[in-house]
Amino acid sequence: MANGKLKSQSQGDGAEGPDGGWGWVLVVAMFVSTSLVFGLMRSLGIFFVEFVQYFEESAQAISWISSIGLAAQQFFSPLGAALCNAYNARLVVMTGGFLSGLGLILASQATCLVHLYLSMGVLSGLGWGLVFTPMVATVMANFTRRRALAVGLGFSSIGLSSFAFNPLFLLLVETYTWRGALLILGGLSLNIMACGALIRPECLSKASTKVDSQSRSSQPDLLQRVSSYLEVSLLCERPYLTYALGVTLLNFGYFVPYFHLVAHSRQVGFSEYRAAFIMSAAGITDIFGRIASGWFSDLGRFRVVHLLTLWSFLAGVFIMLLPVSSLTRSYTVMIVISLLYGFCSGALTSMVFAVVPMIMGVERMMGGLGLLQLIESCAGLLGTPLSGWLRDMTGNYTASFVVAGSFVLLGSLTMTTLPHYFSCAEPPPPQRPVLVDNSETLNLELVQKDGCSPEFNHQTAEQRER
Amino acid sequence: MKQLPINILLTLATCRLTSSETVGPTPTPLAPVSSLPTNTKSVHLTGDNKIENVELLNPVNLSLECIWTGNQNKQPNITGYWRKGGMEIQDSRVPVDPENQQYTLQRVFNIVSEEHLGNYTCVFENEAELDFILAVPQIGERREKPIVSYVGDFVVLTCKMEDNKPVPRTWNWFKNNGTNKEQLFEAQRYDITVNGRSAKLKVKDVSEADSGVYHCAAVYNISTSTSKMHLKVITIWEPLKPFLSILVEVVILVTAILIYERSHSKKKEAEANGPNADPKNTQPQGEDEEAEESTSVRQRKT
C-alpha cells in the first residue's frame, strides 16, 4: 500500500502531471503579481528625486529605501515558503498582497525618512517576499512539460512593466505628488490579492501530509516542524548546495550591467539619450529571452541544466565583451552586444527557476525556492558595491565588468558539477520519503477531496482496490 | 556779523535742497557718461541672419560693431543705420565705405537702465542685418508643469541661476494677486532663503488660497530677470478618488473569483459523486462538504 501511494505521487510529478488548464490562469496571476512586485521595485527611481527634494536628505540615505525593500523581499522569502507549507499558498499570497499595499499606503503619509524605511522598506518588502516565492512555486507545481515556458511567460512581465510603469509613475507624481502617487500605488498593489485568490488549494496539501506523518509522534517538536517547513534539510544535500553556490556566483555578476551600463556608456562618450537606449535595448531582448528560452527548453531537445549552463556561459562572455566593445567606440557594436547580453540574461533567469524542481522534487520546491532566494540575496547585495569599488580603484568600468563576467562564468562552471550532469536523459527527480500506512491513506484521501481533479480520486480508488 | 556766514551757509544748503527737489521725477541721477566702463561686441555677418545675445548686469557703454564682407555687387557706398525695437534710431544713418572689402558699422550705446535693454539691429540697407539682444541673464530652468501640494503640507519653490551665469545681487519673490504682483516677505508662513545663485520660498501650512502664479526675480544692477511658476494646492480627496475606485475593483475581483470557484467546485463534486454514487446514497449535494466527504468515505469502506 505504501508503495502504491508513492507511485501515485510520482505519477503526479511525471508525464501525467498537470499541464495547462487552470495553470494558464495562474500564469496570468503570476504575470500580474510579479509585475506589481519587481516592476514596481524597479520603477521606484522616479520617487528618488522627489524624496531628495522633500526630505532634504542625501542620495545615499534615500537609496536605502529600495535597498531595504529588496533585502526584505529576499530575506522573507523562506518565511513565505514555510508559511505556504504550513498553511496554504492562497492565504499567504493574499496576505502578502495586503501587506505590500498597506506598506505603500502608510508610506504616503510619511513625515520623516524613518517612516519610509519602515513602511515602504520593511512592510512592503515583507509583503513582496510573501508573494513572489509562493507564486512561482505554485505555477511550477501546476506544470510539468511546459514548466519553463510558463515561468518564462510569468517573468516576462518584469521587463514589460518596467517600461510601462516609468511613464505611468511619472504621470502620477506630476498630478498627485509623491504622496498621492504612493497612495494609488498601494491600491494597485492590492490587486495582488486578486491574483492570490486565483490559487486553488492544492491536491497534495503539504501541511496535511506532514501533519499526518508526524501525528504518529504525540507532540511534534516546534523546531522540527519549522525546520521541515523551511526545508532546512535541503542545506545538507550536495546537489542543492552546489546549485545554490552556482546561483550565488551568477548573482554576483548578473546585476552589474543593470547598474553600471549607463554610467559606463556615458564615460565612454555617448550622450545621455544614447546611453539610456543601450540599457533599453538590453531590457527589450531580456523579455524575449525569457519567453523564448522557456519555450525552447520545453521542446525537450536538451536538458534544462545544459541550457542553463549554455545561457549563463554566454551571458558571462557578453558581459566581458561589453567593455571590450566600448573600446571600439562604435555605437552599433555596443548596441549589438547589449542586445545579445539582454537575451542571454533573460534566458538564464527562466532556466534558473525551471531547474529547481529537477534538483529537489516538486514537493520541496516551495521551501527550496525560499532558501535559494535568501542565499542569492547576499550575492546580489554584495555584487554591485564590489563592482563600484573596483571602478573607484581603477577609474573605469572595465575591471568591474570583467570581474562580473568571470563570476557568471564561474557560476556556469559550478553547474557542471551537479550530479548526473553529463547524462543525456533527465534523472528521476528525488522523492521525498513519505511515511504512510493504512490508517493514514484514509486521512490523505479526506484531504484530497478539496478541489481535487477527478482523475486523482480514481487513481487512489484503483490503488485501494488492488 | 558772525551770523552772516552761517546765514549764507544755510541759504546755500536750502538752495541745494530745493534745487534737488524741483528737478523732476527721474528716479536716480544718471551717472556721467564718461565714468561707465566700455564693452565692445563685434560680429561678422556671414550671410545667415544671425542673432547675438548680450548679457548685461551693470550699466555700461556698449559699443556694437557689425562687419559685413559684401557681395558680388561691390557697391562703393552703402547706407547703414540702427534700429531699436524695430524702429529706426534717429540720426543713426551713416554712409559706409568699404575698407579692405569690409563694410563696418559701429555705434556706442549708453546702457544704464531697463528701458535701454532690448533688441538692437544694425542694418546695411537692402543688404544685410543682425540683431543684438541686450538682456539680463535669464533664469535657465523653467518648470512648465504646476507644482502640486496638499492642504496643510508645506511646499518649497526654488529658483536657480545657472553656474555659468553671474550671481544676482539679491532675489525677490512675488505672487500674482489679481492683475498685479504682490511682493512676499519673510513672515509667519513664508520662509525666504537666499544663497547667492539660488533662492527658496517655503510656504508653510498651505491652503487653497495659496494656489496661483509665483514669480522669483533675480535682481541685477541694471534690471531684474524673472521666472514664474504655478502652484496648485489640492486636497487629499484628489488621489483618494482613484484609490477608492481601485479598492472597489479589487474587492469585486476577489469576491467574483471566490464565488466562481465555489460554484465550480460544487459542480465538480457533483460530477465526481455522480459515477461513484452508491444506489443507496441519497445525500443531496449540499454546501456541507464535510458531510459529503464522510458519505464518500463510507462508500469506499464498503
Side-chain angles (χ1 to χ4, degrees), chain B residues 52-239:
Chain B
E52 184 77 15
N53 282 310
V54 183
E55 267 180 12
L56 298 171
L57 356 157
N58 297 311
V60 72
N61 277 335
L62 189 64
S63 160
L64 296 177
E65 189 178 43
C66 288
I67 303 171
W68 183 49
T69 47
N71 56 16
Q72 286 116 346
N73 292 0
K74 300 256 193 276
Q75 287 165 312
N77 59 0
I78 291 184
T79 318
Y81 62 92
W82 290 87
R83 284 205 288 251
K84 180 181 186 301
M87 304 227 309
E88 187 174 330
I89 301 174
Q90 288 191 349
D91 311 320
S92 66
R93 275 189 179 255
V94 285
V96 182
D97 297 319
E99 263 176 57
N100 300 337
Q101 304 194 337
Q102 279 187 336
Y103 300 83
T104 309
L105 188 61
Q106 190 252 12
R107 191 181 170 90
V108 177
F109 296 93
N110 189 16
I111 315 289
V112 171
S113 64
E114 186 163 358
E115 58 252 24
H116 297 133
L117 297 172
N119 193 351
Y120 290 81
T121 319
C122 68
V123 187
F124 294 96
E125 188 158 36
N126 299 327
E127 298 289 349
E129 58 184 52
L130 181 86
D131 289 328
F132 291 90
I133 300 186
L134 274 56
V136 274
Q138 296 299 305
I139 298 172
E141 316 160 17
R142 272 153 209 279
R143 186 151 168 168
E144 302 297 337
K145 303 246 166 75
I147 300 176
V148 184
S149 182
Y150 286 96
V151 173
D153 203 359
F154 69 86
V155 66
V156 176
L157 305 172
T158 39
C159 270
K160 189 170 179 289
M161 187 58 79
E162 278 154 23
D163 289 337
N164 59 352
K165 298 206 174 142
V167 181
R169 210 176 66 203
T170 181
W171 289 83
N172 287 325
W173 283 95
F174 298 89
K175 181 177 190 289
N176 265 4
N177 203 355
T179 46
N180 26 355
K181 289 199 232 178
E182 171 195 320
Q183 183 162 10
L184 305 172
F185 298 100
E186 186 87 28
Q188 194 190 30
R189 282 204 311 130
Y190 297 122
D191 270 348
I192 298 184
T193 330
V194 171
N195 257 339
R197 280 221 164 78
S198 66
K200 292 193 187 168
L201 171 69
K202 182 169 175 176
V203 186
K204 293 185 271 203
D205 199 15
V206 165
S207 67
E208 281 185 326
D210 290 318
S211 292
V213 180
Y214 287 75
H215 302 262
C216 65
V219 178
Y220 292 97
N221 285 333
I222 194 166
S223 178
T224 54
S225 158
T226 58
S227 169
K228 71 173 184 205
M229 55 199 73
H230 189 92
L231 176 67
K232 190 169 138 186
V233 179
I234 55 179
T235 58
I236 196 72
W237 185 238
E238 290 288 322

Side-chain angles (χ1 to χ4, degrees), chain A residues 54 90 174 176-177 191 446, chain B residues 148 150 153 249 261 293:
Chain A
Y54 187 88
R90 161 186 277 177
E174 277 173 8
Y176 299 112
T177 75
N191 278 304
L446 264 178
Chain B
V148 184
Y150 286 96
D153 203 359
E249 168 249 325
E261 182 184 316
E293 278 176 41

Side-chain angles (χ1 to χ4, degrees), chain A residues 7 9 75 78 97 120 158 173 250 259 276 341 355 390 412 423:
Chain A
K7 186 161 167 252
Q9 280 184 11
F75 185 73
M120 218 159 118
I158 300 180
V173 168
L250 279 181
F259 280 116
Y341 157 72
V355 170
L390 277 173
S412 67
S423 68

